[in-house]
């Protein structure tokens, strides 16, 4: 049996006056992983996060943190970087970090030590005595990130983490996130820009129109959505018609080079195709076409569309 | 609870450390003392009204019009009304009014008396003149009926009223000037502080909202904790400021007392400047027209050296305790409402429309309290009801305190205020909770009322 997930959502419902935000969402978030919570704007991601961070409560259903029903004592173990981020503008960086850390239950002494080490790591130590409003945007972002992880939470929730970060800071943050994961923290990414986190996520859940449409380890999902399609590059003449496969795309290039996209028919293995290719042409490249999470999402949404149209839930922006 | 304490600390320290706080703390008492001295000087320097009298009747009324410290009657020059009017206009030193008795004026037909002046004659002056004329005509009638002057003088009653307050133990002699002055100052203070610091709460919440720190905060603490932390933190700032003001005012008046005493010696009537506050009472309170002979107000040499002597005879303990209670209660009640406005709107400029219904009871209770003082009816039905309704009681009750309020009313009003505070805080917290995370939505009253019933 797999280790206990750090966070479980069980059949969570949440409705606002005008619309349903979450409709029976269940999730397991494995400990020590990077988990992508993906979906278009208004799908319900932020609603779910606000329930996990105890900003709002669910109408029904349950959230369990390490098997325990979520309660205020867990706040100290969760770090949250909201999409709408900000700091007290007229407060000094050091004081602000200390204040936020203490609100999360840290002692003054511990917090002071850790603030020092984080400021040193991010190279902004001389700024501890400056007011936040005097900092550049990039530095404010660093401070904001420090505030999120300062109390060494075991669960870190980052809502649209890279929006607003410049590329240099985004990379810095990315490295820090991986380092945190390696030290045992669990990270939830929430984003509608799926390609931005695809490479970092171990598992994902796709949410659309208040429902979870898909979840699981990235590898498994991709395997599941593979279409037995291969890219082939080479030199020579390739048979376009064959009983075992179908050429979806064919491009002739100079000097008899070609590029083809080939879909295998059921029962054919990639090795069968390769064997055939080797016998007929000079193979330069052979690679499986793996769908991106974005493609999978779009396919999945199309598949589930009739159902959601039937229920006629209002779309929210 | 720990977290509320942290929030209170932050709200308190960030405000107290600001330069503006220091400036307000220093400038406040100076401004207060300065304006009071100013008022005292203005009212102290006012000279007696000079009224020229043109008497064409045969009643010799001028001799009967008695001049006092307040008003002086002189004969008008000129042979007829026209010349008298010209002379009045050119008179040096300036005369305030010209009183004209026509030839047709007799003791039994007192029609046709005119009061001429450049512009309007104010009501107070009119009533002074009318009183003097009334008295003169009355005396003339008495002497016509055969009484001699000695008898007439003997008939004058020369009444002095000592109002005694039975709500105080042993019956305390009422000191109208000090009481009225204290009532004014206290109600202004409550009004001002609730307003200034209520708006500070609103702006603090608005700042948290517009700087987008709200969501980070709310993931650490409950909205109610955040709201109450801010309100209580600012309450601590108010109390600090208040304590500083008191200490500084005390220091200032103690320092200034010897200086004021010197100027007293030069300029009678001395009572008007015996203490900064006391002087203000005189200038503001019509009831303080009382003659300087009023024993409780007129400073004995000992009292003059102590600028706080005017407090003697006031129920100081009740006033301070009551002031703190009703001020804090009112502040908590109103600032919760202000906080909910700050939470509801995105933009500070939108807050105006929602502030309106909150400022109305505040301003109304202030104006009505002033009215009650002016009408001299601090225990009447209007004053009673104003001091019971939680929205108006903080100002109205504080205004009544110096006059003495029965204990049962204090307790009833106090409990109602606590209930009112709990009620508004409940409403405000529910609006606050929804509002702080709501961006880009045009808020209406209908919307606000819906928020109250949102589920957690």
């Amino acid at each position: 049996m797999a280790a206990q997930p750090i966070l479980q959502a069980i059949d969570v419902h949440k409705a606002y006056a005008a619309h349903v935000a979450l409709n029976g969402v269940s999730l397991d978030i494995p400990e020590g992983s990077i988990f992508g919570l993906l979906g278009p704007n208004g799908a319900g991601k932020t609603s779910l996060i606000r329930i996990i961070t105890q900003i709002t409560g669910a109408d029904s259903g349950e959230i369990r943190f390490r098997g325990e029903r979520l309660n205020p004592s867990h706040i100290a173990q969760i770090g949250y970087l909201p999409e709408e981020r900000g700091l007290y503008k007229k407060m000094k960086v050091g004081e602000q970090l200390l204040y936020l850390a203490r609100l999360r239950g840290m002692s003054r002494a511990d917090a002071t030590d850790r603030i020092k080490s984080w400021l040193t790591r991010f190279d902004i130590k001389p700024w501890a005595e400056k007011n936040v409003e005097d900092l550049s945007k990039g530095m404010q972002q660093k401070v904001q990130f420090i505030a999120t992880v300062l109390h060494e939470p075991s669960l870190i929730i980052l809502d649209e983490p890279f929006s607003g970060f410049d590329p240099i800071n985004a990379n810095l943050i990315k490295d820090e996130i991986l380092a945190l994961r390696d030290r045992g923290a669990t990270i939830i990414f929430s984003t509608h820009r799926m390609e931005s986190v695809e490479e970092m996520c171990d598992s994902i859940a796709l949410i659309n129109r208040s429902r979870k449409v898909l979840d699981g380890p990235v590898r498994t999902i991709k395997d599941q959505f593979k279409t037995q399609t291969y890219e082939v590059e080479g030199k020579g003449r390739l048979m376009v018609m064959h009983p075992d496969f179908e050429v979806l795309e064919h491009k002739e290039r100079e000097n008899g080079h070609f590029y083809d996209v080939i879909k295998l028919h059921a029962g054919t293995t990639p090795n069968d195709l390769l064997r055939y290719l080797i016998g007929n042409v000079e193979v330069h490249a052979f690679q499986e076409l793996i769908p991106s999470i974005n493609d999978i999402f779009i396919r999945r949404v199309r598949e589930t569309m009739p159902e959601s149209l039937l229920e006629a839930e209002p779309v929210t922006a | 609870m720990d977290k509320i304490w942290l929030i209170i600390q932050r709200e308190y320290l960030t405000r107290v450390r600001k330069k503006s706080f220091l400036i307000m703390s220093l400038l406040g008492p100076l401004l207060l003392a300065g304006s009071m001295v100013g008022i005292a000087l203005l009212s102290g320097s006012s000279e007696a009204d000079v009224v020229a009298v043109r008497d064409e009747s045969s009643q010799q009324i001028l001799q009967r019009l008695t001049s006092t410290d307040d008003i002086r009657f002189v004969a008008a020059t000129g042979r007829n009304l026209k010349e008298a009017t010209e002379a009045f206009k050119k008179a040096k030193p300036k005369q305030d009014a010209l009183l004209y008795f026509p030839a047709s004026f007799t003791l039994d037909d007192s029609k046709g008396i005119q009061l001429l002046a450049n512009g309007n004659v104010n009501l107070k002056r009119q009533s002074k003149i009318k009183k003097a004329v009334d008295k003169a005509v009355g005396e003339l009638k008495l002497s016509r009926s055969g009484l001699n002057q000695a008898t007439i003088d003997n008939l004058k009653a020369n009444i002095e009223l000592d109002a005694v307050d039975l709500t105080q133990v042993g019956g305390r002699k009422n000191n109208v000037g000090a009481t009225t002055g204290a009532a004014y100052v206290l109600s202004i203070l409550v009004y001002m502080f609730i307003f200034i610091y209520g708006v500070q709460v609103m702006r603090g919440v608005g700042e948290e909202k517009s700087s987008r720190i709200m969501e980070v905060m709310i993931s650490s603490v409950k909205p109610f904790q955040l709201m109450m932390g801010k309100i209580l933190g600012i309450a601590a700032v108010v109390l600090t400021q208040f304590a500083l003001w008191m200490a500084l005012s005390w220091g200032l008046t103690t320092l200034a007392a010897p200086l004021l005493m010197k100027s007293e010696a030069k300029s009678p009537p001395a009572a008007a400047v015996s203490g900064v506050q006391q002087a203000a009472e005189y200038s503001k309170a019509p009831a303080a027209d009382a003659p300087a002979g009023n024993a409780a107000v007129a400073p004995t040499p000992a009292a003059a050296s102590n600028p706080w002597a005017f407090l003697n005879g006031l129920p100081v303990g009740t006033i301070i305790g009551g002031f703190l209670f009703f001020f804090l209660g009112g502040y908590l009640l109103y600032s919760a409402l202000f906080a909910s406005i700050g939470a509801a709107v995105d933009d500070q400029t939108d807050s105006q429309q929602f502030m309106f219904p909150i400022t109305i009871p505040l301003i109304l209770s202030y104006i009505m309290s002033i009215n009650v003082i002016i009408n001299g009816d601090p225990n009447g039905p209007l004053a009673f009801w104003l001091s019971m309704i939680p929205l108006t009681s903080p100002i109205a009750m504080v205004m009544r305190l110096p006059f003495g309020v029965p204990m049962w009313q204090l307790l009833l009003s106090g409990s109602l205020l606590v209930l009112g505070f709990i009620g508004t805080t409940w409403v405000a917290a529910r609006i606050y909770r929804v509002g702080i995370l709501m961006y880009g939505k045009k808020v209406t009253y209908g919307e606000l009322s819906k928020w109250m019933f949102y589920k957690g």
Side-chain angles (χ1 to χ4, degrees):
Chain A
M1 194 187 135
Q4 185 183 44
I6 186 164
L7 195 91
Q8 277 179 294
I10 303 160
D11 196 27
V12 172
H13 287 260
K14 175 80 183 174
Y16 294 105
H19 73 279
V20 178
L22 293 170
N23 194 349
V25 172
S26 297
L27 286 177
D28 279 6
I29 295 173
E31 178 127 33
S33 67
I34 297 184
F35 188 91
L37 190 60
L38 311 179
N41 281 328
K45 302 186 300 289
T46 301
S47 292
L48 182 59
I49 289 174
R50 284 186 176 173
I51 291 169
I52 298 171
T53 51
Q54 302 182 51
I55 290 174
T56 53
D59 294 344
S60 68
E62 194 178 308
I63 306 280
R64 289 200 188 136
F65 189 91
R66 292 208 168 112
E68 258 179 76
R69 204 188 170 100
L70 196 68
N71 65 58
S73 72
H74 296 129
I75 284 177
Q77 299 178 58
I78 298 177
Y80 175 40
L81 180 70
E83 185 179 2
E84 298 283 7
R85 48 194 83 134
L87 297 161
Y88 286 108
K89 290 196 178 69
K90 300 208 185 290
M91 219 173 161
K92 289 186 179 120
V93 171
E95 282 177 15
Q96 177 132 232
L97 288 172
L98 182 62
Y99 178 56
L100 292 173
R102 293 196 67 198
L103 283 180
R104 292 251 173 203
M106 278 183 88
S107 75
R108 176 181 281 273
D110 282 359
T112 313
D113 283 353
R114 271 190 225 159
I115 289 168
K116 249 184 223 158
S117 80
W118 272 103
L119 289 179
T120 314
R121 182 155 7 157
F122 275 6
D123 230 9
I124 49 175
K125 202 160 174 225
W127 296 81
E129 290 299 308
K130 288 265 187 294
N131 276 345
V132 170
E133 60 185 349
D134 299 332
L135 264 59
S136 73
K137 196 112 196 269
M139 288 200 199
Q140 287 188 27
Q141 288 165 348
K142 287 181 187 172
V143 174
Q144 188 101 49
F145 182 79
I146 295 173
T148 309
V149 298
L150 194 61
H151 56 293
E152 302 202 335
S154 41
L155 179 65
I156 301 167
I157 303 173
L158 309 170
D159 199 353
E160 300 292 353
F162 301 117
S163 78
F165 277 81
D166 59 60
I168 294 169
N169 281 327
N171 262 331
L172 186 83
I173 299 299
K174 218 178 233 180
D175 292 344
E176 287 302 333
I177 290 169
L178 292 173
L180 285 166
R181 193 256 320 257
D182 294 343
R183 269 180 275 150
T186 309
I187 290 120
I188 300 180
F189 271 142
S190 162
T191 182
H192 65 277
R193 293 172 55 227
M194 294 163 210
E195 69 287 354
S196 71
V197 292
E198 192 178 336
E199 51 185 302
M200 294 177 74
C201 290
D202 302 313
S203 310
I204 57 164
L206 291 179
I207 292 185
N208 187 44
R209 295 186 174 208
S210 77
R211 286 171 194 278
K212 181 184 79 180
V213 291
L214 187 67
D215 70 336
V218 173
R219 198 64 256 162
T220 320
I221 290 177
K222 288 201 167 186
D223 282 348
Q224 194 185 323
F225 280 83
K226 273 196 301 207
T227 50
Q228 297 285 78
T229 312
Y230 292 81
E231 282 178 313
V232 180
E233 279 177 64
K235 196 178 174 183
R237 286 184 56 83
L238 192 67
M239 277 279 278
V240 178
M241 299 294 282
H242 194 279
D244 291 339
F245 57 84
E246 184 186 346
V247 176
L248 298 176
E249 204 182 327
H250 176 76
K251 277 180 193 154
E252 293 279 354
R253 291 180 177 163
E254 67 278 11
N255 305 329
H257 287 252
F258 67 88
Y259 168 87
D260 276 33
V261 177
I262 297 169
K263 185 178 165 67
L264 302 183
H265 288 164
T268 315
T269 66
N271 284 6
D272 294 338
L273 174 61
L274 203 51
R275 230 170 272 128
Y276 171 82
L277 289 171
I278 288 167
N280 291 281
V281 296
E282 182 185 319
V283 180
H284 292 168
F286 182 85
Q287 189 186 342
E288 186 172 13
L289 256 185
I290 297 170
S292 70
I293 293 293
N294 204 31
D295 295 337
I296 293 173
F297 178 75
I298 290 167
R299 267 182 62 188
R300 188 69 194 160
V301 166
R302 286 224 182 94
E303 285 166 27
T304 53
M305 198 61 135
E307 187 197 355
S308 43
L309 278 181
L310 217 80
E311 290 186 20
E313 281 164 18
V315 185
T316 55
Chain B
M1 269 299 121
D2 267 6
K3 289 182 178 175
I4 284 206
W5 181 237
L6 281 171
I7 297 168
I8 293 175
Q9 275 183 326
R10 192 200 87 88
E11 297 293 339
Y12 179 77
L13 288 176
T14 51
R15 281 184 173 75
V16 170
R17 278 198 228 134
K18 272 190 197 158
K19 282 196 197 79
S20 57
F21 177 82
L22 196 69
I23 292 171
M24 264 293 272
S25 302
L26 292 177
L27 231 51
L30 275 178
L31 281 176
L32 213 71
S35 59
M36 282 175 169
V37 168
I39 293 168
L41 289 178
L42 281 178
S43 58
S45 69
S46 74
E47 284 165 11
D49 294 345
V50 180
V51 179
V53 179
R54 165 89 193 155
D55 184 10
E56 291 178 0
S57 71
S58 51
Q59 304 297 333
Q60 308 256 309
I61 199 140
L62 178 58
Q63 288 153 29
R64 289 285 179 176
L65 288 169
T66 39
S67 296
T68 63
D69 285 348
D70 271 353
I71 192 161
R72 208 147 51 81
F73 295 98
V74 296
T77 50
R79 280 163 299 170
N80 52 37
L81 181 59
K82 205 171 168 202
E83 279 183 29
T85 314
E86 287 306 310
F88 164 73
K89 279 182 182 164
K90 287 177 193 146
K92 292 238 158 89
K94 208 173 147 278
Q95 297 177 333
D96 297 294
L98 173 63
L99 186 62
Y100 170 66
F101 295 89
S104 62
F105 173 80
T106 64
L107 291 183
D108 301 310
D109 179 14
S110 53
K111 284 196 194 88
I113 307 172
Q114 287 183 342
L115 190 63
L116 300 96
N118 297 316
N120 287 325
V121 180
N122 71 41
L123 278 175
K124 202 173 161 193
R125 191 173 287 159
Q126 274 190 38
S127 91
K128 274 194 286 188
I129 295 170
K130 188 168 179 293
K131 231 155 91 186
V133 174
D134 262 354
K135 196 170 156 233
V137 173
E139 282 179 26
L140 282 171
K141 281 187 175 172
L142 286 174
S143 82
R144 188 181 59 178
S145 65
L147 293 169
N148 65 23
Q149 191 55 44
T151 320
I152 293 172
D153 287 346
N154 206 20
L155 273 172
K156 286 180 191 165
N158 275 337
I159 286 171
E160 271 186 33
L161 262 181
D162 270 351
V164 173
D165 182 355
L166 291 175
T167 60
Q168 299 301 315
V169 185
R172 182 181 53 89
K173 223 188 218 176
N174 227 337
N175 173 351
V176 179
T179 334
T180 314
Y184 268 109
V185 172
L186 290 176
S187 49
I188 290 173
L189 277 180
V190 173
Y191 173 73
M192 216 170 62
F193 273 72
I194 287 183
F195 222 108
I196 292 176
Y197 287 95
V199 169
Q200 271 213 24
V201 170
M202 185 181 81
R203 289 177 47 195
V205 174
E207 201 187 308
E208 274 170 349
K209 198 177 168 181
S210 63
S211 71
R212 313 266 155 158
I213 195 167
M214 212 51 118
E215 208 167 337
V216 175
M217 294 300 296
I218 297 305
S219 66
S220 304
V221 299
K222 291 204 172 66
F224 185 74
Q225 290 177 316
L226 188 58
M227 184 177 100
M228 283 319 287
K230 184 176 285 294
I231 290 176
L232 294 176
I234 294 179
V237 176
V238 186
L239 292 179
T240 308
Q241 178 126 74
F242 199 69
L244 280 174
W245 280 24
M246 290 309 282
L248 278 171
S249 309
W250 182 79
L252 272 178
T253 41
T254 311
L255 279 177
L259 299 174
L260 286 169
M261 265 170 64
K262 268 181 219 157
S263 66
E264 259 169 51
K266 277 184 237 150
S267 63
V273 236
S274 74
V276 177
Q277 275 87 347
Q278 198 175 349
E281 285 149 27
Y282 265 87
S283 61
K284 282 180 193 162
D289 278 345
N294 187 330
V297 183
T300 59
S305 63
N306 173 8
W308 299 89
F310 72 97
L311 288 175
N312 293 342
L314 288 183
V316 178
T318 322
I319 291 180
I320 292 178
F323 173 80
L324 285 177
F325 178 83
F326 283 96
F327 163 66
L328 276 179
Y331 163 80
L332 291 173
L333 185 147
Y334 275 101
S335 58
L337 293 175
F338 276 114
S340 69
I341 297 179
V345 299
D346 273 356
D347 189 350
Q348 296 284 329
T349 50
D350 288 344
S351 56
Q352 294 301 332
Q353 56 156 330
F354 295 109
M355 267 177 76
F356 188 66
I358 294 183
T359 48
I360 288 287
L362 207 52
I363 292 175
L364 213 66
S365 56
Y366 178 66
I367 293 175
M368 296 223 263
S369 296
I370 297 294
N371 242 327
V372 166
I373 300 178
I374 289 173
N375 293 333
D377 195 14
N379 290 309
L382 178 65
F384 174 78
W385 288 110
L386 282 179
S387 60
M388 287 301 143
I389 301 166
L391 281 172
T392 56
S393 67
I395 292 176
M397 190 50 106
V398 159
M399 175 276 293
R400 290 181 61 196
L401 281 173
F403 297 99
V405 182
M407 191 44 89
W408 69 269
Q409 289 190 16
L410 277 177
L411 291 178
L412 178 59
S413 164
S415 336
L416 285 175
L417 184 59
V418 170
L419 285 179
F421 158 61
I422 293 171
T424 50
T425 307
W426 185 83
V427 169
R430 297 185 78 84
I431 294 177
Y432 181 88
R433 190 192 56 168
V434 182
I436 44 175
L437 295 175
M438 195 77 81
Y439 290 102
K441 203 166 185 179
K442 190 84 186 139
V443 184
T444 60
Y445 284 109
E447 193 78 30
L448 287 188
S449 57
K450 263 190 241 155
W451 291 1
M452 276 192 254
F453 303 105
Y454 272 10
K455 294 162 282 187

